[in-house]
Amino acid sequence: MKIDVLSIFPTMFDGMTGNSIIKKTIEKGLVDVSVTDFREYAEGKHQTVDDYPYGGGAGMLLKAQPIFSAVEALQERTPNTKPRVILMDPAGKRFDQKMAEEFAQEEHLIFICGHYEGYDERIREFLVTDEVSIGDYILTGGEIGAMAMMDSVIRLLPGALGNADSAVTDSFSTGLLEHPHYTRPAQFRDMDVPEVLLNGNHKLIEEWRERESLRRTWERRPDLLDNYTLSDQQQKWLDEIKRGVE
């Protein structure tokens, strides 16, 4: 996979790409990440990337020309791929695990990180393929949102994680929140690991995990169950959970 990022603060991405799983995934050659300062593509002596909005109003807008020129230059470098051009914007579609899984299937992603009051509307209308938001709040720029999305996508690439099952069983990947986890010691300050996890019966362990995943989802994110098809057994467990039956 190829990931390009357009930002006027490219060094913000150094910490992300130089550490942990993302760094290892880059070193393995599973993903190629490049961050470009789109100011370099701005015309004029001062390489201005923003200007006042027509009609007046508060704040400055990112100009169309530098971003169009930068995206076109990136596309020329990879003429055999059709990139998804992702605009980081609070008015965009809410990012979720399903979208991460969709983006992970692409060959080339281009993230556009905004600043100031917003973008020239022609960027939305004629350049980008996706407008995406990470939540209903405002940040000073799109970099943090882009990093969150990139992390979520890159870890889904085959070979990125040490255990391939990790991404499959993550919260939201199955449609439910993930079950509780425990590690050694079995007893810590009079707090015990559930006995079922210690008995070696893998069938019972899997049933416990599935039930606890269902319990956690109902207690913390019941909205996820609205679009989740329960099996007969899961429905029985959910009914028992709601009645407080252990």
Side-chain angles (χ1 to χ4, degrees), residues 86 88 95 103 111 132 134 145-153:
I86 302 164
M88 302 304 304
F95 184 69
F103 286 158
F111 290 89
V132 185
I134 62 168
M147 281 188 263
M149 290 177 59
M150 290 165 60
D151 186 286
S152 181
V153 170

Side-chain angles (χ1 to χ4, degrees), residues 5 26 28 35 57 61 68 89-90 114 129 140 144 152 174 200 209:
V5 183
I26 293 172
K28 289 178 182 178
V35 186
L61 297 179
F68 267 81
D89 189 82
T129 60
T140 56
I144 292 174
S152 181
T174 63
R209 286 175 170 170

Side-chain angles (χ1 to χ4, degrees), residues 107-126:
E107 293 183 78
H108 189 189
L109 302 176
I110 299 176
F111 290 89
I112 302 174
C113 302
H115 272 270
Y116 312 116
E117 186 66 22
Y119 307 90
D120 185 300
E121 189 66 17
R122 288 166 289 192
I123 296 170
R124 293 182 210 275
E125 292 183 6
F126 301 106

Side-chain angles (χ1 to χ4, degrees), residues 94 172 175-177 215-226:
R94 179 83 66 86
F172 306 111
L176 302 175
L177 299 183
R215 181 197 306 278
R216 178 163 286 184
T217 304
W218 179 73
E219 291 176 345
R220 302 184 182 187
R221 288 293 305 277
D223 58 293
L224 295 177
L225 297 175
D226 293 341

Side-chain angles (χ1 to χ4, degrees), residues 126-141:
F126 301 106
L127 186 64
V128 307
T129 60
D130 302 87
E131 298 177 42
V132 185
S133 168
I134 62 168
D136 296 340
Y137 45 87
I138 305 300
L139 300 172
T140 56

